[in-house]
Structures are given as structure tokens and as C-alpha cells.
């Protein structure tokens, strides 16, 4: 089991060895604490900590001796006891540092040419195995134990079981150091030990400060925003993080444990489906904590190994609409008439009526995501090179991938009068009401959800089929049926390209228009 790593401090993303100075020594040292920088990398800081801490403790020990000489009173101040594991790691690091010092000093260039006594290494192996007598252990590492005792790091007395246990562990330290010396003699200067006693990660006894969960999660959202992640994703994850914070009676992210995350997951499962908990909740929290670890804000990700199993949903049909289903839905949409109340007045917003009339056919004949189409503004309908086309752009609110793409408008949409509708519309969004001519993506998303609900309530969507996403599946299916390249279909739909060679060159507007012309009209 890993020991406690004491006198270890993190402050503003950097690590330090920190030793408080007893009040009786402050006049001599001139400080209330001693600190040594360990750098910003936590793993490297832990590696450097024993040697830096030993240097600070040497200053404390020197001050104690000065105080004893000044007062004539033997030192009775608390000493800096260390665990056996800490002493062994400190010894190993000090021996490596001494070796490197000798190699880099021009006056000791002969040092690397001296071999290692095989008899000595054999004695160390006996010491490690517990086969050496106390006298033999004393010859091997007694001087090292005496030095650590003088520094106040141990009270081990020769001949006791505690002294013998420490001596055996120091034999491991010495033997591993000799292995490094031999590797350095062969020119391998960066080799390291793999012995668990010397490599296990120490547990930090306490953090210098709590880590605000609210600040950490907001910082992660700001990071995602700087990467131009969609606002819909940011809003969704913010809602997840708000629920996550409300679950805890504190706001310290460093106190969150794996058990806490599991308990939160189990609470969510009382009111939410397993798939939602897995894909929307756990993934969002796992991503935030993973980022915090990468940024050295936290030691570990408590959500890393918390999973949620999801039962496999049996599928008895394709994900796309069949030709007959497409025909029925497009007929229902294109012949839609809004209801009138008892006074003969239409209460439905004109934008909602236009969405019901045009969005399903737009989905069917463009391969676009429904929210990309409900967010369209008048200025997103363009004409160039003799082609009417849509510009699907993050400027309208959001799109997956955050890169605009141009999609030719299918001839069926042109012939049925979509361009006339666009020409007669005011500036701003076509399919939802907004005072902002640049649009509001949250309203576009809500309108997309209403379209899906409308089709479901009409009983037109088969079980297991997503009302609007099924059009994207169908677009790809029909495109392949008519011999279109997946590279061009991906460019139209906004799907990423998998093969490296497919990323070279572009599917321009004319190429995409030729592909879309091959998609047949949906006759209704």
C-alpha cells in the first residue's frame, strides 16, 4: 500500500515541497516555512519530492544544532519522521543524483570506467532476501540508516525488527541504484527502476486548497466554447453539471469519489433511462474530470471507470423510411393545412406552418440534420453557378463539425415553390419566430422537436424509427441505389471522411448538384 506523501503542496497549478518551521527556529531561519519548487507536472514533482524535502530538512536540522549551541539545551523539538518507504525512495534518488554528479564533473571522468563488484551485488541480494545477518546488513547499509537517524527521519535501532526491515528495503534501493549505474555505463542515461517499492505512486495526504466544482465545470465549458463546440451541446452539458453539483452537499471537486459518481448515477436511473444516463450524463461528467486531470487541477478522474450498461434494443427493420413510408409522410406534410378556431382564425404561428410544410421534404432531399434545416435564415439560401443551394453554417446557430457546407436544393423543392417562399419572407429565420435576424439556435432546436412530435402523434412514424433522422438514412440509401459516391454523399450530409485519401480534393457545388439530381422526386 502506498504511503502518505507529506509536506507536499499544490498551489496555482505548481507543486512544492513545504516544511513548516517551528516557532523556536524561526529567528534562526528567518521564515515561517521552507519551500522548494517541484514544477508543474505532478508525476515529476512526486519523483523529485524526496530529495528536495531532504534538503529542506537538512536546513531544519542545522538550525536545531545552532539553537542547541546557543541555548545549551539538547534539541527536543519534534523531528521529521519518515516512513520506511519514504526513506527508501529518498535514498534511491540521492544515490542516482550522486552518480550523475560524478559523471558530469570533469575531474572525475574516470568514475564511469570503474566496474561494480559482483560480490557486493550478491551480498545485496542476500540482504534483500533476508538471508544476511545483522552484522552483514550493517556493513551494507548501516551507514545509510545512521545518517537518516541523525537527520531525525527514523528512530530505528540496530538489532530490532524495525531496523532490520528498513535495512532490507534499503538493500533494494541500493541494488536498484547499481542497476541504473550499469545502464548509464552503457549510455542509457534515462532508464528508470520498475521495482514497485520505488515506483508506486504516493498518496497525497491533503490538498492545500479545495477545488471549486462550480468553477472547474464552468472552466471546462469555457474550454469547449473556445473549441467552437455547438451551443446546444454546451447548454445540454451545463444542465448535466447543474444536476451533478446539486447532488453534493459540498462544492469541492477534489472530494468527489468513484462511489459518489456511482451513487449519482443510481439516483439518475430512478427517473431516467439507462441509455440517457450513459450517453448524456456520465459522458459529460467523465469528460470534465478528464480535462481537469490533464490540466493538473485534479489528481484523478473519479468518473473514469463508472459505467452504465444498456440493454441491446432489438431492431426488426431498417433505420430509414421505405419509399412507401416516405410518400405517405411527404403527402401528409405538403398538404398540411393549419386548424382554425371557432372564429375561423388560425392560431398557429406562420413559421410553424411553414416548418410543417417544408422541413420534412427538405430533410428527405438534402440529407441535412433537422436542426440544421429548422435554423435556416433567408440569407442562407443562395444562388451561384446556376445552382440554388443552402449554406448550412454555424453562424445560424450551430452544426455538427462547426464548418459550413453548401448543399444544392433539390429540383423538387424548386418546382414546388420553396424559392418563392424564401423570396417573399422577411429577413431572419424561415421556420421559427425570432426578433434576432441572425437567429436563435435553441428555438430552432425546439422547432425540430415539434416536427418530430407532430409526425409521431399523426401515427406516421414506425416503431424504432427516429422521425427526422430517418431521412438522413434514406438519403444515403437512395444515393447509393443510384450509384453515387459515398465521398460526395458524405460531403452533402456533413459526415466525416474516414479514409486519408478521401480528405484530398473537394466535392464542389457542381459535383454535389449532379449527385442530388440523381435523387428521384418523392411523388405523392
Amino acid at each position: 500500500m502506498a504511503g502518505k506523501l507529506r509536506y507536499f503542496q499544490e498551489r496555482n497549478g505548481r507543486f512544492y515541497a513545504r516544511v513548516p518551521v517551528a516557532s523556536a527556529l524561526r529567528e534562526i531561519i528567518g521564515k515561517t516555512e521552507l519551500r522548494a519548487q517541484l514544477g508543474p507536472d505532478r508525476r515529476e514533482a512526486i519523483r523529485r519530492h524526496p530529495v528536495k524535502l531532504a534538503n529542506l530538512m537538512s536546513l531544519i536540522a542545522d538550525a536545531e544544532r545552532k539553537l542547541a549551541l546557543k541555548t545549551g539545551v539538547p534539541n527536543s523539538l519534534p523531528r521529521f519522521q519518515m516512513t520506511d518507504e519514504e526513506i527508501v525512495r529518498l535514498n534511491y534518488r540521492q544515490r542516482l543524483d550522486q552518480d550523475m554528479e560524478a559523471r558530469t564533473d570533469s575531474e572525475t571522468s574516470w568514475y564511469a570506467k570503474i566496474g561494480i563488484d559482483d560480490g557486493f551485488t550478491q551480498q545485496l541480494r542476500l540482504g534483500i532476501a533476508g538471508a544476511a545477518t545483522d552484522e552483514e546488513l550493517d556493513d551494507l547499509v548501516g551507514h545509510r540508516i545512521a545518517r537518516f537517524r541523525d537527520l531525525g527521519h527514523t528512530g530505528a535501532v540496530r538489532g530490532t525488527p524495525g531496523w532490520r526491515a528498513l535495512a532490507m528495503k534499503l538493500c533494494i534501493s541500493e541494488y536498484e541504484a547499481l542497476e541504473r549505474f550499469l545502464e548509464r555505463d552503457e549510455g542509457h542515461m534515462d532508464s528508470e527502476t520498475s521495482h514497485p517499492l520505488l515506483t508506486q505512486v504516493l498518496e497525497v495526504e491533503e490538498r492545500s486548497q479545495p477545488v471549486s466544482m462550480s468553477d472547474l465545470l464552468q472552466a471546462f465549458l469555457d474550454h469547449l466554447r473556445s473549441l467552437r463546440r455547438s451551443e446546444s451541446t454546451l447548454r445540454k452539458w451545463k444542465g448535466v453539471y447543474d444536476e451533478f453539483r446539486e447532488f453534493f452537499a459540498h462544492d469541492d471537486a477534489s472530494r468527489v469519489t468513484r462511489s459518489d459518481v456511482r451513487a449519482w448515477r443510481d439516483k439518475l436511473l430512478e427517473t431516467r433511462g439507462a441509455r440517457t444516463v450513459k450517453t448524456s450524463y456520465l459522458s459529460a461528467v467523465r469528460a470534465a474530470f478528464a480535462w481537469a486531470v490533464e490540466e493538473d487541477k485534479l489528481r484523478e478522474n473519479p468518473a473514469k471507470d463508472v459505467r452504465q450498461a444498456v440493454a441491446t434494443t432489438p431492431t426488426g427493420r431498417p433505420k430509414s423510411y421505405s419509399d412507401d413510408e416516405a410518400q405517405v409522410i411527404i403527402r401528409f406534410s405538403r398538404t398540411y393545412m393549419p386548424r382554425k378556431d371557432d372564429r375561423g382564425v388560425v392560431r398557429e404561428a406562420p413559421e410553424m406552418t411553414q416548418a410543417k410544410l417544408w422541413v420534412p421534404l427538405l430533410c428527405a432531399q438534402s440529407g441535412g440534420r433537422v436542426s440544421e434545416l429548422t435554423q435556416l435564415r433567408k440569407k442562407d439560401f443562395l444562388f451561384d453557378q446556376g445552382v440554388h443551394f443552402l449554406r448550412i453554417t454555424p453562424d445560424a446557430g450551430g452544426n455538427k463539425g462547426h464548418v459550413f457546407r453548401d448543399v444544392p436544393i433539390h429540383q423538387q423543392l424548386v418546382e414546388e415553390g420553396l424559392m418563392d417562399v424564401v423570396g417573399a419572407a422577411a429577413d431572419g429565420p424561415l421556420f421559427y419566430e425570432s426578433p434576432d435576424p441572425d437567429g436563435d439556435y435553441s428555438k430552432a432546436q425546439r422547432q425540430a422537436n415539434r416536427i418530430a412530435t407532430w409526425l409521431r402523434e399523426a401515427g406516421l412514424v414506425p416503431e424504432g424509427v427516429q422521425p427526422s433522422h430517418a431521412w438522413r438514412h434514406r438519403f444515403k440509401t437512395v444515393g447509393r441505389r443510384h450509384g453515387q459516391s459515398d465521398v460526395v454523399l458524405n460531403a452533402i450530409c456533413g459526415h466525416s471522411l474516414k479514409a486519408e485519401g478521401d480528405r484530398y480534393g473537394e466535392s464542389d457545388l457542381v459535383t454535389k448538384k449532379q449527385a442530388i439530381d440523381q435523387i428521384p422526386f418523392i411523388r405523392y
Side-chain angles (χ1 to χ4, degrees):
M1 180 177 176
K4 294 286 187 179
L5 184 57
R6 297 170 295 173
Y7 313 118
F8 185 83
Q9 180 187 53
E10 179 186 356
R11 179 177 293 177
N12 298 325
R14 298 188 69 84
F15 297 93
Y16 302 85
R18 173 187 173 274
V19 178
V21 176
S23 56
L25 300 177
R26 289 174 186 172
E27 184 178 347
I28 296 172
I29 294 178
K31 296 179 180 179
T32 59
E33 68 174 28
L34 294 175
R35 286 200 301 165
Q37 295 188 28
L38 302 174
D41 182 83
R42 182 178 184 278
R43 187 173 294 277
E44 179 65 16
I46 290 174
R47 190 189 70 79
R48 299 175 62 189
H49 179 262
V51 174
K52 293 290 186 179
L53 181 61
N55 292 339
L56 298 182
M57 290 178 171
S58 294
L59 295 175
I60 296 288
D62 184 58
E64 289 175 348
R65 285 191 290 271
K66 290 180 179 178
L67 179 64
L69 289 172
K70 180 180 179 180
T71 61
V73 179
N75 173 53
S76 60
L77 294 172
R79 306 302 299 272
F80 292 96
Q81 287 277 344
M82 297 174 72
T83 65
D84 286 359
E85 289 77 11
E86 288 174 323
I87 290 173
V88 169
R89 291 184 185 89
L90 173 58
N91 182 74
Y92 176 73
R93 288 296 160 195
Q94 287 180 333
R95 298 287 278 122
L96 292 189
D97 288 348
Q98 291 164 3
D99 175 77
M100 187 59 72
E101 238 179 75
R103 291 174 189 273
T104 54
D105 189 337
S106 60
E107 295 184 3
T108 55
S109 58
W110 46 266
Y111 169 81
K113 300 175 184 178
I114 299 176
I116 293 175
D117 184 357
D118 289 340
F120 180 58
T121 58
Q122 177 60 29
Q123 287 177 308
L124 286 175
R125 282 195 288 267
L126 292 173
I128 293 169
T133 65
D134 285 353
E135 290 74 15
E136 290 169 334
L137 285 174
D138 197 22
D139 287 341
L140 288 169
V141 295
H143 63 292
R144 306 297 292 176
I145 296 177
R147 179 175 178 277
F148 290 123
R149 187 171 50 246
D150 289 344
L151 290 171
H153 300 337
T154 181
V157 177
R158 184 181 183 276
T160 63
W163 178 91
R164 186 173 175 83
L166 176 57
M168 290 168 61
K169 292 174 184 175
L170 279 171
C171 285
I172 295 173
S173 174
E174 291 290 309
Y175 187 86
E176 287 295 315
L178 289 178
E179 290 284 341
R180 303 295 84 72
F181 299 168
L182 286 171
E183 290 164 355
R184 287 176 176 180
D185 288 345
E186 297 295 326
H188 305 297
M189 306 304 290
D190 296 325
S191 58
E192 263 297 354
T193 180
S194 60
H195 196 285
L197 180 65
L198 302 172
T199 60
Q200 61 184 321
V201 177
L202 296 179
E203 179 184 351
V204 178
E205 188 173 61
E206 60 181 343
R207 300 184 65 88
S208 58
Q209 301 177 7
V211 179
S212 168
M213 195 185 312
S214 301
D215 291 348
L216 185 148
L217 295 173
Q218 184 57 53
F220 179 60
L221 289 172
D222 293 341
H223 167 70
L224 293 181
R225 186 170 283 108
S226 72
L227 298 178
R228 302 183 65 82
R229 294 295 174 86
S230 70
E231 286 299 321
S232 62
T233 298
L234 296 178
R235 279 191 294 271
K236 181 171 72 174
W237 283 23
K238 183 180 184 303
V240 170
Y241 297 148
D242 288 343
E243 289 191 51
F244 187 72
R245 288 199 307 271
E246 289 171 6
F247 180 78
F248 294 91
H250 62 81
D251 190 49
D252 186 357
S254 68
R255 291 170 55 189
V256 176
T257 66
R258 186 182 305 173
S259 296
D260 292 334
V261 179
R262 285 201 190 100
W264 176 67
R265 175 202 62 189
D266 295 343
K267 182 69 174 177
L268 290 173
L269 289 171
E270 295 175 5
T271 56
R272 294 169 176 83
R275 187 175 298 278
T276 299
V277 171
K278 175 183 178 179
T279 60
S280 297
Y281 285 83
L282 286 177
S283 61
V285 169
R286 190 179 300 117
F289 280 109
W291 172 79
V293 172
E294 289 175 2
E295 295 296 312
D296 292 323
K297 297 177 183 291
L298 291 176
R299 273 199 307 129
E300 59 184 20
N301 180 352
K304 180 180 178 182
D305 297 318
V306 179
R307 307 293 176 185
Q308 176 56 46
V310 177
T312 302
T313 303
T315 56
R317 56 153 297 142
K319 295 179 180 180
S320 61
Y321 291 123
S322 67
D323 290 347
D324 289 343
E325 291 164 348
Q327 185 182 57
V328 171
I329 293 173
I330 295 303
R331 181 190 301 121
F332 176 76
S333 167
R334 294 295 297 126
T335 58
Y336 171 73
M337 294 287 291
R339 291 182 181 178
K340 296 180 180 180
D341 64 12
D342 295 340
R343 298 180 181 179
V345 177
V346 175
R347 297 294 183 183
E348 184 175 82
E351 295 82 6
M352 185 73 248
T353 301
Q354 293 291 6
K356 291 177 177 178
L357 283 168
W358 292 105
V359 169
L361 187 57
L362 266 169
C363 287
Q365 302 293 46
S366 72
R369 299 173 180 89
V370 63
S371 59
E372 294 176 332
L373 302 175
T374 55
Q375 76 180 16
L376 288 170
R377 306 158 299 180
K378 180 173 182 173
K379 64 182 179 181
D380 296 326
F381 290 81
L382 305 169
F383 184 81
D384 187 30
Q385 303 177 63
V387 179
H388 289 287
F389 63 96
L390 311 171
R391 176 154 290 173
I392 296 175
T393 170
D395 293 341
N399 72 327
K400 199 169 184 179
H402 320 293
V403 179
F404 86 90
R405 70 181 189 277
D406 292 336
V407 179
I409 298 174
H410 193 278
Q411 189 62 25
Q412 181 174 1
L413 290 156
V414 175
E415 291 186 12
E416 295 195 15
L418 177 60
M419 302 316 300
D420 295 333
V421 172
V422 173
D427 289 341
L430 260 68
F431 301 123
Y432 65 92
E433 185 179 7
S434 174
D436 184 353
D438 287 331
D440 181 339
Y441 184 70
S442 62
K443 292 184 177 180
Q445 185 65 57
R446 285 196 293 272
Q447 205 74 323
N449 294 337
R450 291 186 185 114
I451 294 291
T453 301
W454 174 61
L455 293 177
R456 281 196 186 282
E457 290 177 347
L460 301 177
V461 182
E463 187 68 29
V465 173
Q466 295 178 283
S468 297
H469 203 66
W471 293 118
R472 276 169 70 76
H473 285 285
R474 184 178 189 277
F475 185 85
K476 281 286 192 73
T477 300
V478 174
R480 290 168 183 153
R481 184 191 304 166
H482 289 82
Q484 297 307 309
S485 160
D486 268 351
V487 173
V488 178
L489 292 175
N490 286 339
I492 294 171
C493 293
H495 284 140
S496 60
L497 301 173
K498 303 302 181 186
E500 181 65 26
D502 291 343
R503 297 190 180 99
Y504 285 77
E506 295 179 351
S507 298
D508 61 17
L509 192 61
V510 173
T511 302
K512 288 187 280 191
K513 177 66 166 62
Q514 291 170 351
I516 281 187
D517 283 345
Q518 297 301 309
I519 306 294
F521 283 44
I522 300 176
R523 302 297 183 183
Y524 56 91

